[in-house]
Amino acid sequence: MRITEEQVRLLALCRIKGASWYFLAREAQQHGIESLWRGEVNELSPEAYKTAQLIKEHASELDRLTAHARADAQRAFDAGAHLVTVLDDGYPTTLRLIFNLPPFLFVHGSIGEADLRSVAVVGTRQASEDGLKRARRMSRLLCERGVTVVSGLARGIDTAAHTAALEAGGRTIAVIGTGILKCYPKENKQLAEHITQNGAVVSQFWPDAPGATYTFPRRNVTMSGIAQGTVVIEASSTSGAKMQARLAIEHGKKVFLLRSLTQAQPWAQEYVESRGAMMVDDVDDVASALSSPDRIQAVDARRAQLTLDFGQPG
C-alpha cells in the first residue's frame, strides 16, 4: 500500500482532539495541506479559528499523530480497504459539492464515475412488509435504469434496498456508521461482503471505530452527500431517514418521498408542500430527475473555479 505524505498529514490533523473535521475537509480541498499543517487557514469562521489554534498547540505531537495515521491506513489496507481523501482525484465528486463533507473515506470495494448517477434509498429499521416491498421494488427498478443504490446497511429498509440492488445485478454503496473493520448490525456482515464485489462499503471513521450516538447522524450527512438525491420509503417523524431528507434539502440535493409516505406522515406532507421535496409515484419520477455524470463533473469544475476566483486579489 502507498499512502502519500499529504494523505497521512490530513489524517494526522484529524487526530487532534477538538479539531473540526468538516473544516479540515473544506480547507484541505480548497487550499491543500501545506499551510494547514502550519496552522495557517483561509476560512473565516469560529471553527476555522479554533482548529488553527489547536494545530499550533499540538505542533510537537504531529509526528506521533502521523505514525497513528499511517497505522490506521495500514490496518484498513490489510483488511482489503483503501483510503481516499479530499486531496485525491478518486474522492466522490457528488460529495465534494456539500459544505460538511468528510475529510477522508475508507473504501472496501470501488466507487467509479458511473456511481455519480446514484440515489439513496432509506427508511425505518422497523419497516412494515409493504415498506420492504416498496424498497425492494424501488432499488431493483433504479438498478435497471443504471442508477447506483446508496443506503446505510441498517436493518429494515436499508437491508432490503441493498439486497434488491445486488439481486438485480446493479451497483450499490453502503455508507456505514462504524469503522471499516466493523459491521453493524452483525447479521449484515455477509451482505457487506457481497456489496464490496459490486459496489463499495464506505466509512468516514477510524478503521476500528464502534458505532456511537454521533456516528450514525454523521453517516446520514455523507449518505446524502454521496448521492444525487434521497428516496424515503417509510419513516416516522423521529426517524434518521427524515433527518436525511432534511440534510439532502440543505445540501441542494433532490428529495423524493413516496406517495404512500406523504399520505401517512404529516412531516412528509409538509416537506412536499413547503420544503421542496417531490412526491413520487414510481421510479421514473426519480430517474428522470437525475443528472448525468458529465453534468455533475461540470458543476464541480465550476465550484473549483469559483473558489479560485474568490481567492484572487481584486
Side-chain angles (χ1 to χ4, degrees):
M1 180 199 67
R2 181 178 180 273
I3 178 171
T4 69
E5 188 64 25
E6 288 187 334
Q7 286 177 322
V8 78
R9 282 188 170 190
L10 179 57
L11 264 63
L13 293 178
C14 290
R15 280 221 164 257
I16 297 175
K17 187 175 182 180
S20 168
W21 284 22
Y22 292 148
F23 160 70
L24 289 172
R26 292 192 300 269
E27 187 75 10
Q29 176 170 258
Q30 294 176 14
H31 302 286
I33 198 70
E34 289 305 320
S35 58
L36 188 56
W37 186 251
R38 298 190 297 270
E40 300 170 4
V41 302
N42 294 271
E43 182 177 305
L44 301 176
S45 68
E47 59 183 337
Y49 176 79
K50 177 184 176 183
T51 301
Q53 292 300 113
L54 287 170
I55 292 172
K56 292 173 182 176
E57 291 169 8
H58 289 78
S60 62
E61 299 178 48
L62 290 178
D63 286 345
R64 177 180 62 82
L65 296 176
T66 297
H68 278 296
R70 289 188 187 279
D72 285 327
Q74 186 62 51
R75 280 199 299 274
F77 178 76
D78 290 344
H82 63 278
L83 171 67
V84 180
T85 78
V86 293
L87 303 168
D88 307 321
D89 292 340
Y91 192 89
T93 306
T94 40
L95 200 51
R96 290 191 186 278
L97 302 176
I98 68 172
F99 63 93
N100 44 2
L101 67 169
F104 63 85
L105 300 170
F106 286 104
V107 179
H108 195 179
S110 64
I111 301 176
E113 185 172 326
D115 298 319
L116 294 179
R117 196 161 182 266
S118 57
V119 170
V121 178
V122 299
T124 181
R125 290 172 171 81
Q126 291 79 40
S128 68
E129 188 55 42
D130 282 344
L132 295 174
K133 289 179 180 177
R134 292 184 181 111
R136 288 191 286 265
R137 182 175 186 275
M138 177 62 69
S139 295
R140 174 175 57 80
L141 294 176
L142 283 171
C143 287
E144 289 178 2
R145 286 155 176 79
V147 178
T148 297
V149 171
V150 179
S151 202
L153 202 66
R155 297 183 180 98
I157 297 296
D158 291 12
T159 295
H162 288 305
T163 302
L166 292 172
E167 290 175 349
R171 288 186 59 79
T172 186
I173 296 172
V175 184
I176 61 175
T178 66
I180 201 71
L181 303 183
K182 305 283 187 179
C183 182
Y184 182 84
K186 290 183 178 179
E187 65 262 28
N188 276 355
K189 185 175 182 180
Q190 187 174 32
L191 174 59
E193 291 173 355
H194 289 165
I195 290 171
T196 66
Q197 303 304 310
N198 207 30
V201 176
V202 176
S203 171
Q204 67 198 87
F205 305 105
W206 302 119
D208 56 356
T213 54
Y214 72 91
T215 62
F216 292 99
R218 286 193 186 181
R219 178 274 308 271
N220 284 100
V221 173
T222 299
M223 204 193 316
S224 165
I226 208 168
Q228 282 196 42
T230 291
V231 180
V232 184
I233 302 294
E234 187 176 61
S236 70
S237 61
T238 59
S239 171
K242 179 200 171 183
M243 182 187 72
Q244 182 161 325
R246 173 180 59 78
L247 290 165
I249 290 170
E250 293 174 359
H251 289 155
K253 303 296 182 91
K254 302 284 197 323
V255 174
F256 310 98
L257 306 179
L258 292 193
R259 181 177 295 275
S260 57
L261 172 69
T262 306
Q263 293 173 339
Q265 291 289 336
W267 75 262
Q269 184 176 359
E270 189 266 332
Y271 270 43
V272 170
E273 291 176 350
S274 62
R275 303 198 65 176
M278 290 179 276
M279 181 170 63
V280 296
D281 290 303
D282 60 39
V283 70
D284 289 330
D285 294 334
V286 177
S288 63
L290 302 181
S291 298
S292 67
D294 287 345
R295 186 175 181 187
I296 296 294
Q297 298 284 15
V299 170
D300 182 51
R302 287 198 298 273
R303 174 203 59 79
Q305 187 59 51
L306 284 171
T307 299
L308 290 172
D309 291 345
F310 185 76
Q312 295 299 317

